[in-house]
Amino acid sequence: MQPTLKSCVEDWKTLPWKQFQKQIFRLQHRIYKAQQIENYKLVHKLQRLLFSSRAAKFLAIRQVTQLNTGKVKAGIDGKARLNEKERFELLNSLKDLNKYKHSQLRRIFIPKPNGEKRPLGIPTIKDRTIQCLVKYLLEPVYEAYASKGSWGFQPGKNAWDVKMNIFMNLKTHNTNYKKRILELDIEKCFDKIDHKKLLSLIYLPKQMHNIIKSALKAGVLNERTSTQEGTPQGGIISPLLCNIALHGIEDIWNQPSRYWSKPDKKYITKKTEIIQRGIRYADDMIFFIEEHENANELRHKIDEFLVERGLNVKETKTHLVKSTEGFDFLGWRFEVKANKALTCWPSHKNRKQMIDKIKCTMKNARFTLEQRLNKVKVIYKGWRNYHKYSDISKINLWNISEWTYKYAKKLNSKANRKERAIVKIKRIKAIHEIFNRHENSLFRFNAIKSEKSPFDNDWLYWSKRKQKQYAGQLAKVLTLQKFKCNACKLRFAVDDHVELHHIDGNHKNNKYKNLEALHRSCHHYMPIHGMKRRKVNNLVSLKAV
């Protein structure tokens, strides 16, 4: 007798997810430690153990089919989502992967700000799950040897850490205004990486190595049967493969610095510290060059490094500028002022993208005025949160606030009676809440310690850092709960999705007694949400009758 969907839902819900997470992290921590001491035999042994683990397969399936957010696109199999019964069927298909071959990719194109289109290859759900499984094995290995100058697509690191590293290189002292900055981008990085070189840099047992090779060589439906270069952009493992391929380029301009240390009262010892002169975020990089140094020599080293990997610098995005002239990086504008102090504010391009997104949302006739304003609030709040460690006062935000008010007024005058619920006073209040009452503090973020990694088993450190990523009530609730999920009692890991749950289901009741912070996976199965779903389904069925 085959299990029904209802029984599979209960079975999926009652799986020991807490135990699964503990088992996987324990193995990843051991892989991380073994790689640090370069015990490759033990690394491969632990990777094989993790790959065959039932817990890892369940977690990979849950990550791909349940936790990953964003627009879900189907691969060539036509499946974008799986129910609980189909998830168990997917688990059975992962039992024997000796003869596994990656399916072809489905090609889609997404627009870029400059008018071009970026090609994405969408794998099937099974291929995504296997990529996620291999990522569990490969990520702790890369974290063990990752450079201090690498920041993009790594667990626990974010763009604010990059900002603080730039601040440390250009903060107020006598020579910061004499420094030059080489900013560059790699042309079609994901599409042109040499497969042979990339595979030689990957530390995996033969079976898993063949899976990576199969993913790299997978063709595109109706275009080509095999891919000879590049990584499958759009796949789960693509950012990690990019980091592995480019590892070391951020260190080619580092400089040793000697200083005297006095560990005790008797002896003074001379130590050497490496000054990080390069910062890389995925395929975007900047290098700091002193006044007396030769920029052409650095450029020659970069070109040599990239040629070996089948890549080259994109000349249109490569600039050598003085620190006093300013430069753009990761959506910020950095500039050393006349008083030799570094300042930072949102770049013109980043601000324009935000304004265009708000205008496009307000003009979307599929939603009511109230719904549009709620969407604008989410967009602007996310943008302000990203720039909260910048000097927002340097840019003009009054224009978009005024435009939103006038457009909302125009819509409200033409709206029907239901939409006129947002009267003039309420409309002014709603727009005022969106574009005001936001705090920002320049360079006040505590950057990550350079020697720390999410796989070093220091859960308390990473839980507290996780709490700093949130603001308002969620940050307060996390502190009250001592950075633990109120449902499973596990500490929040670096890459966990944290959500605010209203115990009584009333989202207007924001008293702290009614709030708790939960994992997204724990939040899905709270009884109050199940009751709401059943009520909605009953109403729909009654209307159909």
Side-chain angles (χ1 to χ4, degrees), residues 215-236:
L216 291 173
K217 298 292 182 184
V220 179
L221 188 66
N222 300 327
E223 287 187 25
R224 54 179 180 266
T225 56
S226 178
T227 307
Q228 301 303 319
E229 60 182 8
T231 62
Q233 192 173 359
I236 290 175

Side-chain angles (χ1 to χ4, degrees), residues 348-362:
H348 174 75
K349 181 181 176 181
N350 183 271
R351 173 179 167 271
K352 187 177 183 302
Q353 287 175 352
M354 179 269 295
I355 290 173
D356 291 344
K357 199 170 182 180
I358 288 177
K359 288 184 177 180
C360 183
T361 303
M362 287 298 294

Side-chain angles (χ1 to χ4, degrees), residues 278-295:
I279 294 176
R280 177 174 64 84
Y281 195 93
D283 58 342
D284 293 328
M285 287 167 280
I286 56 171
F287 291 88
F288 301 97
I289 307 171
E290 298 289 348
E291 185 184 22
H292 63 276
E293 294 176 329
N294 187 355

Side-chain angles (χ1 to χ4, degrees), residues 304-321:
E304 278 187 341
F305 183 95
L306 293 177
V307 166
E308 192 179 353
R309 287 153 177 79
L311 302 169
N312 59 280
V313 171
K314 192 170 186 177
E315 297 295 343
T316 56
K317 290 189 176 181
T318 301
H319 308 285
L320 179 65
V321 297

Side-chain angles (χ1 to χ4, degrees), residues 163-185:
K163 177 183 283 190
M164 294 310 298
N165 273 263
I166 293 173
F167 173 70
M168 293 304 293
N169 272 281
L170 296 176
K171 66 181 179 180
T172 305
H173 53 68
N174 294 329
T175 60
N176 67 338
Y177 67 97
K178 296 180 181 179
K179 283 186 179 180
R180 291 167 294 162
I181 291 89
L182 176 65
E183 48 175 327
L184 53 89
D185 186 18

